[in-house]
Amino acid sequence: MGEAREVMDRLTDAVTTHADLKVVGELYAEDAVAFTPDEGELRGRDSIVEYWRAMTEAVPEATFQSLHSYEVGDTAIDEGIFSGRNTGPLELPNGETLPPTQKEIRIRGVDIATVRDGRIVDYRLYFDEMDFLGQLGLLSDEPL
């Protein structure tokens, strides 16, 4: 197992099984960049840690079931299923907060992390945001 795989596995553990934002912060470079479907581009460790804070508070007992994991050079790639119950507030990109829905979610996604000197410098997260919102019961049944 190479450095990228080790760092990615530690990140997954720190946002699911053993949620620990201090560890999350230690895993990202100060000037890291992340891209997420719900928040877009995040620049800097503090912004990325804040993203994970909101997610771990919204789904505090989340799990991750790995379906595929790869490591190519300095990059680790995971495909898996993030699941749990929404028991914490949901922070929306516009700054609003929604109360917990108490609904179970099961979202398939892909994470890609490029690592240099033991820290993530570039992180990409892909999941179907509409599926996520639908499982939480936050989508209207009304036609557009």
Side-chain angles (χ1 to χ4, degrees):
M1 172 173 27
E3 181 178 63
R5 176 83 267 142
E6 179 185 337
V7 170
M8 178 73 97
D9 290 347
R10 288 180 59 210
L11 176 65
T12 300
D13 186 66
V15 298
T16 57
T17 310
H18 301 101
D20 187 333
L21 294 176
K22 182 177 181 206
V23 171
V24 171
E26 292 169 356
L27 294 173
Y28 282 93
E30 190 174 329
D31 61 348
V33 176
F35 296 89
T36 70
D38 48 344
E39 293 288 333
E41 182 178 10
L42 304 169
R43 292 197 158 275
R45 176 189 298 144
D46 293 344
S47 295
I48 297 167
V49 170
E50 178 59 23
Y51 176 82
W52 286 120
R53 182 203 57 76
M55 185 64 78
T56 58
E57 286 182 5
V59 188
E61 296 180 10
T63 61
F64 182 78
Q65 174 191 358
S66 178
L67 300 175
H68 301 281
S69 63
Y70 308 96
E71 183 178 42
V72 180
D74 62 357
T75 301
I77 305 162
D78 283 342
E79 177 185 4
I81 299 173
F82 178 88
S83 50
R85 180 181 297 275
N86 170 226
T87 59
L90 287 165
E91 294 182 20
L92 302 177
N94 66 3
E96 291 182 40
T97 302
L98 297 176
T101 65
Q102 303 301 324
K103 295 192 182 229
E104 293 284 336
I105 60 160
R106 184 174 164 82
I107 306 297
R108 188 177 191 129
V110 174
D111 301 75
I112 304 169
T114 300
V115 175
R116 290 199 185 88
D117 299 323
R119 290 192 175 9
I120 299 169
V121 295
D122 185 81
Y123 179 80
R124 315 266 168 163
L125 173 62
Y126 300 96
F127 64 87
D128 185 334
E129 190 174 6
M130 296 301 280
D131 186 30
F132 176 62
L133 295 172
Q135 289 183 40
L136 291 171
L138 299 174
L139 295 179
S140 171
D141 291 336
E142 296 178 22
L144 295 176

